[in-house]
Amino acid sequence: MSAAAAPADCLTADGGVVRVRPVTAADVPALLALHEGMSVQNRYLRFFSAGAALDTEVQRLTRPADDQHLALLVERGDTVLAAGSYERIGPEQADFALIVHDDHHGEGLGTLLLEHLAAAARRQGITELVGDVLAGNRAMLRVSGDLAPGVPRGFGDPGVVRVRIPTLPDEAALAAVGERDRTAAHHSLRPLLAPASVAVIGAGRRPGGAGHEILAALQAGGYDGDLFAVNPRARDILGLPALPSVALVGEPLDLAVIAVPAAAVEQVVAECCAAGVRAALILTSGLDATVQAGLVRQARRHGMRLVGPDSLGVLNTDPAVRLTATFARTLPPSGGLAVASQSGAIGVAILEAAARDAIGVSTFVSLGDKADVSGNDLLAYWHDDPATRAVALYLESFGNPRRFAWIARALGRRKPVLAVQSARRPGASPADVAVEALFEQAGVIRTDTLGDLLDTARILVDQPLPAGDRLAVVGNARGLAVLAAGAAGAAGLTVPPFAPATADRLRRLAPGAVTAGNPADLGTGATASAMAAAVQVVAASGEADLLLVAYAATRTDDGAATLQALADAVDDATDLPVAVVVVGVTDPPATLGRRKVPVYRLPEPAVRALGRVARYAAWRRSPIGERPALGGVRATAARAVVDAAVHAGGGWQPAGVARRLLDAYGIPAPDSQLAAGVELVAGIAHDPLFGSLVTLGASAPTGPHGERVVRLLPLTDRDAAGMWRSLLTGAVPAGTAALEDLLLRLGRLAEDVPEIAELDLDPIRVLPDGCAVGGVRLRLCMVGAEPDPYLRSLRARPDTDDPGEPPP
């Protein structure tokens, strides 16, 4: 595999945008200037001597990359800010070195370089970067500590510390990467989502145009930052003086909303870049891929983030921000649901439904064509956003699915993430299967329809998570209660009977009740106080994890009084998620009580929503899983086998090549003489969108994926266990620990060797004393490096081959 790393646009610690790319011979003057500009003190800390031979060092950096050496630099525009390199010093070890411009310390450039060097070194079979650091070089020691927390350091010569950085990050290192990623995303997106100043470029004088309506919406929404209208053919618009150009704003500008004809967008973006605008929201549609590539290229060089083109706008309901930069007609109340939609029409539908059902929204972003800002960027931003308690997504494409899984899984441990994906049909495409696996691994709450997503969000935003799956149903409508109980099983919920003492208390509330079991039907004659008391009895019993209240109003009862009594009762049931079904009431409220308990018109949607909430809560309680250490892995040997095979033309490989590759990862060699046992097939498949996938299924599937279980990389121990558990039913066979180990080794092999186009181990027999492989088929081809989920980089420019996060 080539040692060269692809160029990537990345965020600095303060949210700025820089370019990380391989060093070339043309960089000699810039690198000399970087080294010559170092202070005497920093030169001593880097080279252990103030009189280092800088020409020799620059020659080393500009040597062509190969499997022994790689040098990268960080640039902003045409200015080189930092450089780093590694030199292989052993089969699996390399020595690293860094230099950062004196004026740019503290921006995280050294950490960023080491992350990219480690990722490139890992693809070469290097497992560890090492370096000697002076004990007084606190900055470098801090950088290495951030990348390898908990990794012990050694001591060589007096005053010298030997630091070690594993190229495959462990859980502590990944947590640190995630924190850096979120900090950078927050700083980068704040000008977009919480701008101190906004200019609407293309704000027309007449109502109906996008620019005019955005400006009107910003004013109507109460935005109290600095607001500007830009239109060279008007004197004032909606009471604001019109400026002929954004360059005349006269102060640093956070956000430019661009609503001009398609032919003018490139010029306007160029003017925004020159004026130092920090973020741009492009409403204009109809821009082709070439134009979008140019826009992103301009914006990245000047540190400006872009949303769109073809965006519906952004919304932030925080009272301190009150940003309504959208021309959607209906806006929801302030609340805890953050929304990202790639489709403008779906975005409008979500906002209208949220307003109708009183679902409070914190922020809304219409991504449009996703030329720059992506769903992954927003997930990183929302992770620490105090106003956001749940996230809803409608995405039509994933730039880097593995990165999405990593970010969403981390977010899902704090806040629920919901997404729409239609139910998988028989014969679904590999991409559909992979999306389903992506959501399952990341803990994303998948819904079949937009209505299901919003029904579920209504519970999650304002209520606690359940401790289990026990559903209690109480009310005065037996038919509704029976329907609710009947839907529970399919929703993954149980409806256990109440204990005799609880049933007796319920029976005393309404002596004429049909039943006091579960469901508890108090009868149509139940009073408001009896209904409220039943909620209190069940909530206090400890026998339910979720509660559904079914109320049917008639002409003989006081509907308003009953709803108020129920509102007071559910407010007291603070430990349970509650849903209320109300029929027979004209214009029933969307919610009840201070807790904003959602009111549904039918029981089945409510039960399905409660079931999703319970499954999410169970996922969140379960261990997240880890990538265990795997003994006997010889990545360098595998790399030699694969490089030789691909150089010879690739394609289907003879048995000897496959055996050597499997042996390098401790996977049992094929043996056609196998005893009896549970027969499976496992392997690796390469998908053009999702990268390498690990598969497990019944032997001899009917198609290329058949009914196999699929998981994305990286594979954790929890993923491996879940694969066979979702496939095998009935008695659990002995030897599953060995099967899990085999799957984990396949996962590590797939990560390290993306050239594997197809690998089938068929059959695999799970035996009481382990696993045995009967046959193997292997096809290799040059596919390039897999997108690294942990490498901090922005989505790829449409005109590059950066694997960080490809365009849709």
Side-chain angles (χ1 to χ4, degrees), residues 134-275:
L134 287 174
N137 193 345
R138 297 185 182 89
M140 190 64 244
L141 292 174
R142 184 172 59 251
V143 167
S144 62
D146 288 344
L147 284 159
V151 175
R153 295 168 172 169
F155 296 90
D157 296 335
V160 176
V161 180
R162 184 75 161 174
V163 299
R164 299 167 46 231
I165 300 172
T167 60
L168 184 65
D170 61 14
E171 294 305 314
L174 289 179
V177 172
E179 184 174 354
R180 291 192 293 269
D181 191 41
R182 294 190 294 270
T183 298
H186 179 83
H187 289 303
S188 175
L189 295 185
R190 189 165 179 79
L192 169 72
L193 296 176
S197 53
V198 178
V200 181
I201 304 175
R205 288 167 290 187
R206 298 184 182 87
H212 182 98
E213 296 304 325
I214 287 283
L215 188 63
L218 285 164
Q219 292 179 325
Y223 177 72
D224 58 3
D226 296 329
L227 186 59
F228 304 93
V230 177
N231 186 331
R233 292 183 294 276
R235 300 184 61 181
D236 66 84
I237 301 170
L238 294 173
L240 292 175
L243 302 174
S245 169
V246 70
L248 299 179
V249 167
E251 62 182 68
L253 186 66
D254 274 351
L255 176 62
V257 181
I258 299 175
V260 300
V265 170
E266 290 177 280
Q267 178 62 34
V268 168
V269 168
E271 293 173 358
C272 289
C273 290

Side-chain angles (χ1 to χ4, degrees), residues 296-574:
V296 176
R297 192 161 50 244
Q298 286 191 74
R300 296 272 174 86
R301 283 180 59 85
H302 292 83
M304 184 173 74
R305 303 303 308 271
L306 296 177
V307 169
D310 197 20
S311 171
L312 181 74
V314 300
L315 174 71
N316 187 340
T317 65
D318 185 336
V321 180
R322 292 183 293 186
L323 178 73
T324 53
T326 174
F327 44 84
R329 290 181 179 273
T330 305
L331 299 179
S334 178
L337 182 66
V339 179
S341 175
Q342 197 170 342
S343 161
I346 297 297
V348 169
I350 291 175
L351 293 178
E352 288 184 345
R356 181 183 64 246
D357 293 333
I359 306 172
V361 169
S362 60
T363 45
F364 165 80
V365 180
S366 169
L367 291 165
D369 291 339
K370 290 202 308 182
D372 175 29
V373 173
S374 68
N376 288 355
D377 294 316
L378 293 171
L379 291 178
Y381 178 89
W382 285 325
H383 187 280
D384 296 313
D385 177 30
T388 295
R389 296 189 292 276
V391 172
L393 303 173
Y394 178 77
L395 300 177
E396 297 169 351
S397 62
F398 299 92
N400 183 339
R402 290 176 60 193
R403 184 166 176 79
F404 173 89
W406 177 56
I407 296 174
R409 180 156 47 190
L411 175 59
R413 289 282 156 172
R414 302 187 65 185
K415 306 171 185 181
V417 180
L418 304 100
V420 179
Q421 180 207 3
S422 298
R424 176 150 62 109
R425 299 174 301 279
S429 71
D432 290 336
V433 176
V435 169
E436 187 172 305
L438 170 68
F439 287 163
E440 183 175 345
Q441 284 178 264
V444 173
I445 303 170
R446 184 189 67 80
T447 66
D448 295 337
T449 67
L450 190 59
D452 289 339
L453 180 145
L454 293 167
D455 283 340
T456 308
R458 297 179 69 194
I459 297 174
L460 287 167
V461 169
D462 294 304
Q463 299 201 59
L465 293 177
D469 61 4
R470 299 172 300 168
L471 174 67
V473 183
V474 298
N476 71 338
R478 177 171 177 78
L480 296 179
V482 169
L483 289 175
L493 301 175
T494 61
V495 188
F498 294 126
T502 301
D504 187 57
R505 293 188 187 96
L506 291 170
R507 194 175 292 108
R508 289 199 298 268
L509 294 174
V514 175
T515 177
N518 189 12
D521 175 24
L522 305 184
T524 56
T527 64
S529 60
M531 290 280 287
V535 170
Q536 294 167 340
V537 166
V538 172
S541 70
E543 299 173 31
D545 303 305
L546 311 99
L547 175 61
L548 181 84
V549 180
Y551 169 53
T554 67
R555 295 174 65 91
T556 61
D557 62 11
D558 188 336
T562 300
L563 291 176
Q564 183 58 56
L566 288 174
D568 294 340
V570 297
D571 276 344
D572 292 337
T574 55

Side-chain angles (χ1 to χ4, degrees), residues 77-98:
D78 296 322
T79 304
V80 175
L81 307 180
S85 64
Y86 71 71
E87 304 286 346
R88 191 188 289 264
I89 57 175
E92 298 184 357
Q93 199 174 59
D95 185 80
F96 74 88
L98 296 177

Side-chain angles (χ1 to χ4, degrees), residues 605-749:
V607 173
R608 288 196 297 267
L610 289 169
R612 294 186 198 99
V613 171
R615 288 194 297 275
Y616 166 70
W619 174 85
R620 193 153 135 177
R621 290 192 302 268
S622 64
I624 194 169
E626 60 183 21
R627 300 161 77 187
L630 299 174
V633 171
R634 296 178 289 114
T636 304
R639 173 50 48 200
V641 170
V642 171
D643 285 347
V646 171
H647 181 73
W652 290 105
Q653 297 299 306
V657 171
R659 285 174 178 271
R660 291 196 298 275
L661 186 59
L662 295 178
D663 181 67
Y665 278 79
I667 298 172
D671 180 3
S672 59
Q673 304 298 319
L674 295 181
V678 176
E679 192 168 294
L680 301 170
V681 57
I684 298 169
H686 192 275
D687 182 88
L689 176 62
F690 293 89
S692 296
L693 307 171
V694 178
T695 67
L696 179 70
S699 185
T702 57
H705 285 266
E707 291 305 315
R708 295 190 188 186
V709 178
V710 172
R711 291 292 183 270
L712 281 73
L713 303 179
L715 206 67
T716 68
D717 54 359
R718 184 169 181 265
D719 294 328
M723 290 180 76
W724 69 258
R725 287 195 173 99
S726 63
L727 187 69
L728 302 179
T729 59
V732 175
T736 54
L739 176 60
E740 291 173 20
D741 181 73
L742 183 145
L743 292 171
L744 289 167
R745 291 177 183 277
L746 282 174
R748 188 66 54 82
L749 174 61

Side-chain angles (χ1 to χ4, degrees), residues 33-189:
L34 175 66
H35 284 78
E36 290 169 351
M38 297 176 72
S39 68
V40 173
Q41 173 66 12
N42 283 334
R43 190 177 298 181
Y44 174 76
L45 291 175
R46 163 63 184 89
F47 296 106
F48 294 21
S49 167
L54 300 183
D55 287 347
T56 301
E57 174 64 7
V58 170
Q59 289 174 9
R60 183 186 70 82
L61 289 173
T62 53
R63 193 171 81 244
D66 54 31
D67 61 354
Q68 304 294 309
H69 156 86
L70 177 66
L72 303 175
L73 61 75
V74 178
E75 63 184 0
R76 180 178 287 133
D78 296 322
T79 304
V80 175
L81 307 180
S85 64
Y86 71 71
E87 304 286 346
R88 191 188 289 264
I89 57 175
E92 298 184 357
Q93 199 174 59
D95 185 80
F96 74 88
L98 296 177
I99 174 175
V100 178
H101 192 288
D102 284 10
D103 295 339
H104 293 276
H105 288 209
E107 296 178 14
L109 303 183
T111 303
L112 193 62
L113 271 173
L114 272 176
E115 289 176 358
H116 282 254
L117 286 170
R122 185 167 66 247
R123 293 193 290 269
Q124 294 299 317
I126 296 171
T127 62
E128 187 176 58
L129 299 179
V130 298
D132 291 330
V133 180
L134 287 174
N137 193 345
R138 297 185 182 89
M140 190 64 244
L141 292 174
R142 184 172 59 251
V143 167
S144 62
D146 288 344
L147 284 159
V151 175
R153 295 168 172 169
F155 296 90
D157 296 335
V160 176
V161 180
R162 184 75 161 174
V163 299
R164 299 167 46 231
I165 300 172
T167 60
L168 184 65
D170 61 14
E171 294 305 314
L174 289 179
V177 172
E179 184 174 354
R180 291 192 293 269
D181 191 41
R182 294 190 294 270
T183 298
H186 179 83
H187 289 303
S188 175
L189 295 185

